[in-house]
Amino acid sequence: MSQFLAHNAWLVPFFPLLGSFIVVVAAKWLREQSHLPIVAGIALSFLVSFSLWMVAGPDVTSPAIEWLTISGFNVPIQFRLDGLTTMMLAMVTFVATLIAVFASGYMAGDPGYPRFFALIGLFVFSMTGLVLSNNYVLTYLFWEGVGVCSYMLVGFWHSKPSAAAAAKKAFLVNRIGDFGFAIAIFWLWSASINHDVSYGNVLSRENLDQLGPAAIMGISFLLFWGATAKSAQVPLYVWLPDAMEGPTPVSALIHAATMVTAGVYLIARSTPLLVRAHEVQALVAVIGCLTALLSATIALTQTDLKRVMAYSTVSQLGFMFMGLGAGVNNVAQLAVFAAMFHLFTHAFFKALLFLASGSVMHAMGNVIDMRRFSGLRHRLPITHLTFAAGGLALAGFPLTAGFWSKDEILLALKHAAHQAEPGWGGIYVAVYWIAVLTAFMTAFYTGRAYFLTFWGPEKLPSPQDPEALAEAVDEVDHGSSHTEHDHGHDAGHGHDGHHVGQESPPIMTYPLMILAVCALIVGLIFGPTGLFEHHLHLTLGYEHLGHLEAHGADWLVMLMGSLAAILGLGLSYLFYAHRSPIPAQLAERLRPLYLASYNKFWIDEIYEKAVVGTTLLLAEISAIFDMVIDAIVRGIAYLPRWLGGAGLAPFQNGLVQFYAGVTAMGVAFLLIIVLFWL
Amino acid sequence: MPPTAAFTINFRDFYVLAPEIVLALWGLVVLLYDVGWLRKLPNASRQQKLGWITLLGVFGALIAAIHALMVRFNLYGMQELFNPAWMDFDRPEPVIFWGTLAGDLFTETINLFLILMLLVAIRLSMAWSFTDSWGEYFALILWSTVGMMLLAAAEELLTLFLTLETMTICLYLCTSFEKNKRRSAEGGLKYFVYGSVSSALFLFGLSLLYGLTGTTELYAIKMVFTPETGDSHIGLAGNVSGMTALLLMLVGFGFKVAAVPFHQWAPDAYEGAPAPVTAWIATGSKVASFVALMKVLLLGLAPWSNHMRDVATPGWVGVVAALAAASMTFGNLAALAQRNLKRMLAYSSIAHAGYMLVGVAAAGYSSRHSESAGSVLYYLIIYGFTNLGAFAVAAWLARDKDSDDISDLNGLGFQYPGLAVCILLLMLSLIGMPPLAGFFGKLYMFMEALNEKNPEGRLTMLWLVGLGLLNSVVSAFYYVRVLKAMFLRPAEGTVVAPAGPAIALPIVVGTVVALGFGIYPAPLVDLMKSAAVPMLDVSGELIGSSLERAMWNRARRAPTGPPTDVKLELPASVAPQAGSTAPQAESTPPPLLPGTGKGQGAASKKGGGMGKGAGKGAGALKKKGQGKGQDASKDAPPSDQPKTDSPTKDAEKTEAPKKNESGSDDLKKAAPKADAAKP
């Protein structure tokens, strides 16, 4: 049975691909039913993934299909079905099914309806392929695949300039990371036994033992470099907040639950390699910590609900990297379990929060600015409750999903501070305390978003809002002529008899409810029971990772986490539930800090000047130089054409006796060469 | 001393030749049908009817070819199903008709692909009515294919020459079939005159080679030239007669594959011939000729390849490398200036011949003969199918516009986007763009060329590959010109009519091949690499007769040692005429020939490796031991020496001792080792 299932693992990526193929071929006939093949495909692939969960084992692989064999370089198509992969598969396909159902309501009436679902199917294909692959090259291939899908989905409303720009930004920033990943693969290929880049070989003990210290450090660093772009870490996180220009289900699926965790997955997959480079691990922890703190600070003051969620995603990814970075010596197992558990729970509650935001946006006629609406809890009861559930989980309220996983990460950090190499412990102490602070901030901004949206006096967006007017002026300034897409995100929305201020249709609320239940209980089911840890233990190379003799629940850490969550939520209740004047006063008092946070620390502007400006300047200089090159190239390009035309034409004069002469001369010439020159 | 071996023709020989026989007879059927029943019909309907009838015959040949492969790989239990007593399938890898032709995995594979290409080419011929002698036309195309298939199977120089001529003469005639066009006749005449001269030179080269060796069998030639000790790559330093023979033979092959400086017929003949004939000359005949070229060079003249494993030494690797460099560069540069699609494709096919010659040179020089040769075969097949598609485009223009300039394609992309995208993919594959098959063909071939670790020749190969890559860049220019015409230029003048199935088929087939084997190249590459193994070796059966002659001849050339001494030292198992028995063989000194064990190893490897199991490997030895009598070998005590310990099929049937079988296992294990030990 298990062998049968392992042999049919290819069905997981196949079903969504088939679905999207059907949509592409039959778009003309399917039109408004285009979601059917995709939802069915992803649901089927979830069923297969779920059954694969049962057969997982460290060395379970599907049979290899030979694909690329170039003397000495062999890349078979082979899937690995260990704990990590099956966990990711089940999570991805489960969340994707719900989001696809949600999207079928959310995207209704959009002219690009079939295109949207075809791309979603393609994305799920690439994402499942990414986590299934059994070697770095195939992973890289699918890694690029999810990147392309993300690019096309962020720019789904490509006639809107901001969406097109965001898509371009996402793609370019990701290229920087891909570069690091590619170099890592080249290095792995040249340094590994037999030039075999499959996980089974690269992560085997004998291979890791024969790698030199430079290779271990360099490859780990390059892999992490690749991960920083995909998983939006400092300094390459800037694309993710902008990527919210895409449709909200895309933000939920790709930019919250699945694709952005690919970097975390890659590092977790390579953990047996990474634990041998404790310097890189410290770097991972520090970068994760910086990212978490920075983006949490930015999220404190944002007014766009989706942006708050985006920065919170960046921040939570930072938490995961902190967890991965904590895997020193004996903490390794605990650390990677903690990080992956956070990834797992985060997928549920963050997808939920995004979908709930989408539901708000849907009800508000595509307005997402929290200053333009408030007090929606009576108008949108289901959205309100589900958002609250997601918010509690994100804040890490005791016993919700986020609580358990965040607690594990804090625990890992605490152990790391004790177990790290001499002299490195201090870093982990600092990271630990910043993590606690960030957890507090997380709770605060989550509460803020929740109370601003659902509490306070009831208010619906109107075109007379000062923010709406400012936005309209902005659009005119940018010379945008796309009036049909006005300033909102969706064209065609609200034209299907849907009125502003009403709860979303059931097809959208049911996925919300399911996810809300998951967000509340998934941590309790998988965390304290050891179910998750046990399953992840079935991952390639994890059994050799260092582990603590016995670690029970650490009440101090739990108390810390709970305290941070409750304090943050309480503070936000005080500030925002009844519209207290304190936040405004605080903002006035700490104006520079407030402005910095509100303007995202001007990181985008700095990048614009420093990186983009420099690049453009370089391009300008190159353009001048290019003219010289062009002249040379043209000259060279002219030469063959002249040779081909004027130079060789006389030899093809159509006289057969001449041809015979040339042949004879040729033979004689060759004979002379061979006999006298060679 | 003539061989006294009793090679008998049995039914199996005809079975192996079934595709060729079907095609040859079907040519007659087509001819008779044309002058008989169809005489009164108007030209166009006669063409269609005859075309379908011809296709019927080709399907028959296709079934025969597929059947042979199915039996080999024992699909659907074909081997048991199809093994009547008179068929004698126990004979492995038959070298049929007194050792003149091979019938192994390699010939079966090539037959299959040639027939598939023929199918496409014949369907393409039905696109429009360019002649009125349809019976002759189809019959000649079929017979030329028979020539190609036999050429690919030839194991002996005289057969090789005859089949080469069979193929070429049919093609001369086909070239001038468009009788209302002056160009067609002119192209045919030039092709013929040029071909005759080169055939004469080729024959001269053959006769020199025969004079040097006293044999025409490729394997025997190799044995004669292989020195008894030291590096088997002796090269040709100071060997004027050998060099002359080699160069003269290269004229013949160079003419067939259109390599510079023997290419000059190609543009004229390609342009003059009707497009389907051009397609067939550029693909089928090129495939067959390259195969023959590889066989002669890599098998027969292997010792002459180079000296001390260096490229720029007297030897054919250096010459072929020079031809490759010249062909690539000349073909691409000349194609740049062409405005006519067919001429452009003609020059580009010269360039492709250049790329493939790089692969041939690499195969001669590197120690991975069969892998390198396999990569050339892969390139050949991909090249064949994509080029058929490209020439179908020319046929389309010739049918509807009566001219075939590239500018006639203007605006095609807007009228027929589907086919235009297919043509786009074909052109990109011919350029060598990933992920299309053309890219992988070049990649495999050039990677094999660079694979040799030997520092001396490596630099030269690097230069050659670098030149090839540079030329690929140049080639992009003229292929993209086709795309530019299709997609960027507005339509002007008369509109091309819809392609119809006859023209769409080659284009679509080419695209499917380019795309399919680009995304998933492994199966075809594997098939070609395993097919290249028997191509570069002769099965054990032939060794007996030719080896003896070879020994005799070499002894005659050697300064010391009368021929008789040499003959006596032959190991019994490979010299059936020696009259020795197995126990005696045990006492004989180790084999004199370095190649003896090699040949045996290859033979049994073929038997074991092709999925037929132990019966074949054992059978190979049985046949070898035929002359000395099977009973002797059966009664021989089992010994450690694998050569004499050859359990036959009969022995297995009568429940041979366990040790006997283990002996055969040892043999099989030893075989790859022997193969690997090859320099």
Side-chain angles (χ1 to χ4, degrees), chain A residues 336-587:
Chain A
V336 70
F337 292 161
M340 293 319 286
F341 191 40
H342 195 54
L343 185 156
F344 183 69
T345 58
H346 174 257
F348 292 100
F349 61 73
K350 190 48 70 64
L352 167 65
L353 284 169
F354 264 107
L355 292 187
S357 312
S359 177
V360 170
M361 195 167 156
H362 193 72
M364 294 297 110
N366 303 319
V367 175
I368 197 65
D369 191 328
M370 288 188 288
R371 288 167 300 182
R372 295 181 58 193
F373 48 72
S374 61
L376 300 179
R377 62 190 146 150
H378 301 301
R379 278 185 173 269
L380 312 172
I382 302 175
T383 308
H384 163 235
L385 284 177
T386 51
F387 192 98
L392 282 178
L394 172 58
F397 194 79
L399 303 186
T400 56
F403 167 74
W404 295 106
S405 51
K406 211 174 281 181
D407 174 62
E408 291 258 311
I409 290 182
L410 291 178
L411 187 65
L413 283 170
K414 190 179 165 196
H415 281 299
H418 296 304
Q419 305 261 346
E421 312 281 320
W424 294 78
I427 294 177
Y428 288 102
V429 174
V431 168
Y432 173 75
W433 286 109
I434 295 177
V436 173
L437 175 67
T438 312
F440 164 73
M441 282 156 69
T442 308
F444 179 76
Y445 68 69
T446 314
R448 172 177 173 269
Y450 167 71
F451 289 121
L452 279 181
T453 307
F454 294 102
W455 289 56
E458 186 172 303
K459 177 185 164 202
L460 294 181
S462 83
Q464 270 73 49
D465 287 340
E467 292 85 8
L469 293 174
E471 234 175 276
V473 169
D474 248 23
E475 292 252 320
V476 173
D477 279 355
H478 283 95
S480 154
S481 58
H482 303 279
T483 44
E484 74 274 16
H485 286 281
D486 50 14
H487 56 268
H489 290 245
D490 308 26
H493 255 204
H495 300 305
D496 47 354
H498 189 77
H499 296 292
V500 169
Q502 272 184 4
E503 181 59 283
S504 305
I507 194 152
M508 289 165 67
T509 50
Y510 276 111
L512 286 180
M513 288 187 266
I514 297 173
L515 279 173
V517 173
C518 290
L520 290 178
I521 64 166
V522 85
L524 201 58
I525 294 177
F526 286 94
T529 56
L531 208 59
F532 189 85
E533 197 170 332
H534 174 73
H535 187 71
L536 213 60
H537 198 79
L538 301 172
T539 304
L540 171 75
Y542 279 16
E543 58 197 311
H544 301 308
L545 293 180
H547 53 276
L548 301 166
E549 287 312 311
H551 72 280
D554 188 323
W555 297 106
L556 194 65
V557 170
M558 275 202 183
L559 193 68
M560 249 351 188
S562 314
L563 217 59
I566 295 170
L567 272 182
L569 286 175
L571 202 61
S572 65
Y573 177 80
L574 282 182
F575 279 14
Y576 296 105
H578 301 294
R579 298 297 183 266
S580 111
I582 305 172
Q585 288 169 2
L586 265 181

Side-chain angles (χ1 to χ4, degrees), chain B residues 474-629:
Chain B
V474 174
S475 77
F477 183 86
Y478 55 82
Y479 286 125
V480 169
R481 186 184 272 164
V482 173
L483 307 182
K484 188 179 89 175
M486 283 197 307
F487 291 106
L488 299 180
R489 293 270 179 272
E492 54 183 41
T494 51
V495 180
V496 188
I503 284 172
L505 179 80
I507 298 179
V508 172
V509 167
T511 311
V512 168
V513 168
L515 204 59
F517 288 120
I519 292 171
Y520 190 36
L524 188 61
V525 173
D526 280 352
L527 180 63
M528 285 310 168
K529 281 186 179 165
S530 47
V533 176
M535 175 177 89
L536 299 185
D537 251 308
V538 164
S539 52
E541 205 164 343
L542 192 63
I543 295 175
S545 73
S546 59
L547 195 59
E548 182 162 350
R549 227 175 1 216
M551 296 301 302
W552 193 76
N553 277 301
R554 197 172 64 178
R556 199 178 52 180
R557 283 170 359 124
T560 54
T564 44
D565 294 354
V566 180
K567 202 186 79 188
L568 282 176
E569 283 179 27
L570 268 178
S573 60
V574 293
Q577 297 81 27
S580 56
T581 54
Q584 274 177 345
E586 268 178 295
S587 62
T588 50
L592 177 78
L593 286 173
T596 309
K598 211 192 299 178
Q600 246 188 356
S604 54
K605 189 179 161 198
K606 264 188 272 179
M610 297 313 151
K612 265 214 155 191
K616 273 192 114 177
L621 291 163
K622 164 191 155 193
K623 207 64 200 173
K624 236 174 284 162
Q626 202 179 34
K628 69 174 185 259

Side-chain angles (χ1 to χ4, degrees), chain A residues 12-357:
Chain A
V12 177
F14 173 74
F15 282 128
L17 185 68
L18 182 70
S20 87
F21 184 72
I22 292 173
V23 172
V24 168
V25 170
K28 225 182 278 177
W29 299 282
L30 282 171
R31 287 310 308 169
E32 288 305 305
Q33 307 301 320
S34 297
H35 58 275
L36 287 181
I38 298 300
V39 171
I42 302 177
L44 280 174
S45 111
F46 167 65
L47 287 181
V48 180
S49 310
F50 190 72
S51 55
L52 288 177
W53 179 289
M54 308 298 170
V55 305
D59 294 313
V60 179
T61 51
S62 70
I65 303 167
E66 212 168 285
W67 175 54
L68 259 184
T69 315
I70 308 158
S71 55
F73 180 65
N74 187 5
V75 181
I77 297 178
Q78 192 180 25
F79 298 140
R80 176 168 286 280
L81 298 161
D82 60 8
L84 185 61
T85 291
T86 50
M87 185 278 289
M88 289 291 285
L89 273 187
M91 184 274 283
V92 167
T93 49
F94 178 71
V95 174
T97 311
L98 292 177
I99 291 176
V101 172
F102 178 90
S104 64
Y106 185 85
M107 298 299 290
D110 193 282
Y113 198 71
R115 178 164 58 101
F116 178 82
F117 281 99
L119 286 173
I120 290 285
L122 202 61
F123 168 76
V124 177
F125 160 73
S126 310
M127 188 68 208
T128 48
L130 192 158
V131 293
L132 271 170
S133 311
N134 189 26
N135 57 57
Y136 280 98
V137 175
L138 211 56
T139 301
Y140 183 79
L141 209 75
F142 284 114
W143 178 278
E144 294 292 327
V146 291
V148 169
C149 292
S150 155
Y151 167 74
M152 290 194 282
L153 282 166
V154 170
F156 183 70
W157 290 306
H158 48 78
S159 50
K160 201 168 69 171
S162 60
K168 197 166 72 182
K169 189 171 175 183
F171 198 73
L172 287 179
V173 174
N174 267 303
R175 294 307 305 169
I176 300 176
D178 298 346
F179 180 67
F181 191 7
I183 305 279
I185 293 176
F186 298 154
W187 199 338
L188 274 176
W189 177 78
S190 55
S192 292
I193 299 174
N194 291 338
H195 299 311
D196 181 359
V197 290
S198 71
Y199 292 134
N201 181 52
V202 169
L203 303 177
S204 70
R205 276 178 131 180
E206 48 182 330
N207 186 50
L208 291 176
D209 286 341
Q210 62 94 31
L211 285 178
I216 294 230
M217 256 193 56
I219 295 168
S220 306
F221 173 74
L222 287 167
L223 286 175
F224 178 57
W225 175 1
T228 51
K230 196 59 95 192
S231 289
Q233 296 296 296
V234 169
L236 299 176
Y237 74 96
V238 289
W239 65 273
L240 187 58
D242 285 13
M244 299 304 143
E245 288 291 340
T248 308
V250 169
S251 311
L253 177 61
I254 300 185
H255 304 119
T258 56
M259 187 193 84
V260 286
T261 59
V264 182
Y265 165 79
L266 180 69
I267 299 300
R269 172 58 77 201
S270 315
T271 297
L273 172 72
L274 236 77
V275 289
R276 290 168 185 245
H278 73 274
E279 296 93 338
V280 176
Q281 282 203 312
L283 179 73
V284 172
V286 168
I287 292 278
C289 177
L290 263 182
T291 312
L293 181 67
L294 184 76
S295 47
T297 318
I298 296 176
L300 289 178
T301 57
Q302 295 303 306
T303 55
D304 183 323
L305 182 55
K306 269 180 81 178
R307 259 178 206 272
V308 175
M309 289 305 135
Y311 280 107
S312 130
T313 305
V314 177
S315 174
Q316 297 305 307
L317 289 167
F319 262 98
M320 295 171 208
F321 278 107
M322 274 192 259
L324 288 172
V328 285
N329 299 335
N330 284 341
V331 201
Q333 252 183 22
L334 173 67
V336 70
F337 292 161
M340 293 319 286
F341 191 40
H342 195 54
L343 185 156
F344 183 69
T345 58
H346 174 257
F348 292 100
F349 61 73
K350 190 48 70 64
L352 167 65
L353 284 169
F354 264 107
L355 292 187
S357 312

Side-chain angles (χ1 to χ4, degrees), chain B residues 382-551:
Chain B
I382 300 298
Y383 161 84
F385 279 105
T386 43
N387 242 28
L388 272 175
F391 278 108
V393 179
W396 195 358
L397 291 181
R399 185 191 72 179
D400 291 346
K401 289 209 162 184
D402 206 28
S403 82
D404 32 31
D405 281 350
I406 294 174
S407 60
D408 288 330
L409 286 167
N410 285 357
L412 192 81
F414 304 107
Q415 276 181 353
Y416 306 108
L419 276 181
V421 167
C422 288
I423 298 170
L424 167 89
L425 290 174
L426 284 179
M427 294 295 156
L428 292 182
S429 174
L430 284 170
I431 296 173
M433 287 285 228
L436 297 165
F439 165 74
F440 282 100
K442 276 201 185 102
L443 182 69
Y444 287 129
M445 221 160 59
F446 289 165
M447 287 288 278
E448 288 295 345
L450 295 181
N451 206 9
E452 183 62 40
K453 298 283 183 285
N454 192 24
E456 282 87 14
R458 197 146 184 245
L459 191 66
T460 322
M461 290 317 280
L462 198 63
W463 276 103
L464 207 56
V465 169
L467 188 66
L469 295 179
L470 199 67
N471 269 301
S472 302
V473 176
V474 174
S475 77
F477 183 86
Y478 55 82
Y479 286 125
V480 169
R481 186 184 272 164
V482 173
L483 307 182
K484 188 179 89 175
M486 283 197 307
F487 291 106
L488 299 180
R489 293 270 179 272
E492 54 183 41
T494 51
V495 180
V496 188
I503 284 172
L505 179 80
I507 298 179
V508 172
V509 167
T511 311
V512 168
V513 168
L515 204 59
F517 288 120
I519 292 171
Y520 190 36
L524 188 61
V525 173
D526 280 352
L527 180 63
M528 285 310 168
K529 281 186 179 165
S530 47
V533 176
M535 175 177 89
L536 299 185
D537 251 308
V538 164
S539 52
E541 205 164 343
L542 192 63
I543 295 175
S545 73
S546 59
L547 195 59
E548 182 162 350
R549 227 175 1 216
M551 296 301 302

